[in-house]
Amino acid sequence: MTQYQTLADDEVVLRDGTIKLHGPEAFAGMRRAGRLAADILDAMVPLVRPGVTTGEIDDAVRQLTLDGGAVPATLGYRGYRHSCCVSINHVVCHGIPSEKALRDGDIVNIDVTPLLDGWHGDSSRMYLVGDVSLKARRLVDVTYECLMLGIAAARPGARLGDIGAAIQRHAEGHRYGVVREFCGHGVGRLFHDAPEVIHAARAGTGPELRPGMFFTVEPMINLGKPPVKLLEDGWTAVTRDRSLSAQFEHTIGITEDGCEVFTQSPKGLDKPPYS
């Protein structure tokens, strides 16, 4: 049986497998953290171009996070030494910033999580570098559609599996693969918490969605087959068949009549093209 825990706004939060239900002050905190995440990703638009290194992107994310009064939640997390993840082409997620330069035709995911006043704003977006192929653009478009269809299914009384079912139906309708090895997650005072948000699921299954739940929806969609593999660095996940992969991520909160997207771009830059 699923366990839920209603939290007072000043309550110490532990990861104990229960699904936390938050109040108005927590929603306010998540709005601020989510807005900062969105502002940081907005600021990446002019930076993502051929010749820019993923390390330069990481430096910019770190400075923008600090300027916003926050710290990067990834910095030092389980030994990770960077302020964001930058995943290019067939890298599914957790690409490590380096001296690698972006090239014309790349598709790139940038994943940021500022920790602001104790709250995590977790979000990622895809960016197109220069002249990108039609098939890559279509993959990015469909992945964003998957994200928004999943979010549309997130409302009180629905089941967690309804989110994954909506994503899987749309992706597989375009003959794309839905990654199973990684999922969305509860978030708030903790970076990763219950519940796990599976992106390929059966409708009507899983925990009931209740007002006050916070979690991410972050489908990873492959141009080819679903399986991925982890590289020797222990972080970078790539498609096994070397096909392109795309991902978008929002952090949301379940409300009395639907859900609130905390990480939506204030400038309307939630998906490319951004110009």
Side-chain angles (χ1 to χ4, degrees), residues 27-270:
F27 271 82
M30 290 296 284
R31 287 186 196 109
R32 293 191 296 271
R35 173 62 184 267
L36 179 56
D39 286 341
I40 292 168
L41 292 176
D42 284 356
M44 295 297 104
V45 172
L47 183 61
V48 175
R49 61 185 187 275
V52 172
T53 69
T54 56
E56 289 172 326
I57 291 171
D58 187 61
D59 289 342
V61 168
R62 181 170 56 256
Q63 191 59 55
L64 287 163
T65 305
L66 297 174
D67 289 348
V71 295
T74 57
L75 193 59
Y77 180 78
R78 296 184 178 177
Y80 193 74
R81 295 184 291 177
H82 302 276
S83 299
C84 67
C85 297
V86 185
S87 303
I88 305 172
N89 295 334
H90 73 291
V91 178
V92 175
C93 61
H94 304 158
I96 301 174
S98 68
E99 295 305 308
K100 181 178 177 64
L102 302 180
R103 298 185 299 178
D104 187 69
D106 285 342
I107 60 172
V108 184
N109 178 273
I110 302 176
D111 191 344
V112 304
T113 311
L115 173 58
L116 179 64
D117 299 328
W119 298 100
H120 292 81
D122 196 357
S123 187
S124 80
R125 290 183 211 161
M126 295 300 298
Y127 299 80
L128 309 179
V129 184
D131 186 15
V132 173
S133 70
L134 181 61
K135 69 177 182 179
R137 287 176 180 268
R138 186 59 181 149
L139 173 66
V140 170
D141 286 344
V142 171
T143 302
Y144 181 76
E145 291 164 4
C146 285
L147 170 73
M148 298 312 292
L149 286 167
I151 290 174
R155 57 186 182 274
R159 296 284 175 173
L160 202 61
D162 296 340
I163 296 171
I167 290 168
Q168 182 178 9
R169 182 168 54 250
H170 191 63
E172 293 182 351
H174 288 82
R175 299 187 177 182
Y176 295 152
V178 182
V179 171
R180 269 71 164 177
E181 288 89 342
F182 299 94
C183 61
H185 53 87
V187 66
R189 292 272 186 200
L190 298 178
F191 193 172
H192 296 95
D193 201 2
E196 291 188 343
V197 183
I198 308 300
H199 301 119
R202 186 161 54 90
T205 63
E208 179 185 353
L209 302 183
R210 297 186 182 182
M213 292 173 63
F214 296 162
F215 54 83
T216 69
V217 182
E218 48 182 299
M220 301 165 214
I221 309 298
N222 297 343
L223 189 62
K225 296 180 179 179
V228 308
K229 66 178 180 180
L230 193 65
L231 299 187
E232 291 182 358
D233 60 32
W235 288 101
T236 309
V238 300
T239 54
R240 283 192 174 273
D241 60 7
R242 302 284 293 184
S243 64
L244 294 175
S245 186
Q247 180 193 20
F248 286 90
E249 176 184 14
H250 273 316
T251 295
I252 69 172
I254 302 298
T255 63
E256 294 293 336
D257 57 0
C259 72
E260 178 177 350
V261 179
F262 296 125
T263 49
Q264 192 161 3
S265 167
K267 297 180 179 179
L269 303 177
D270 290 294

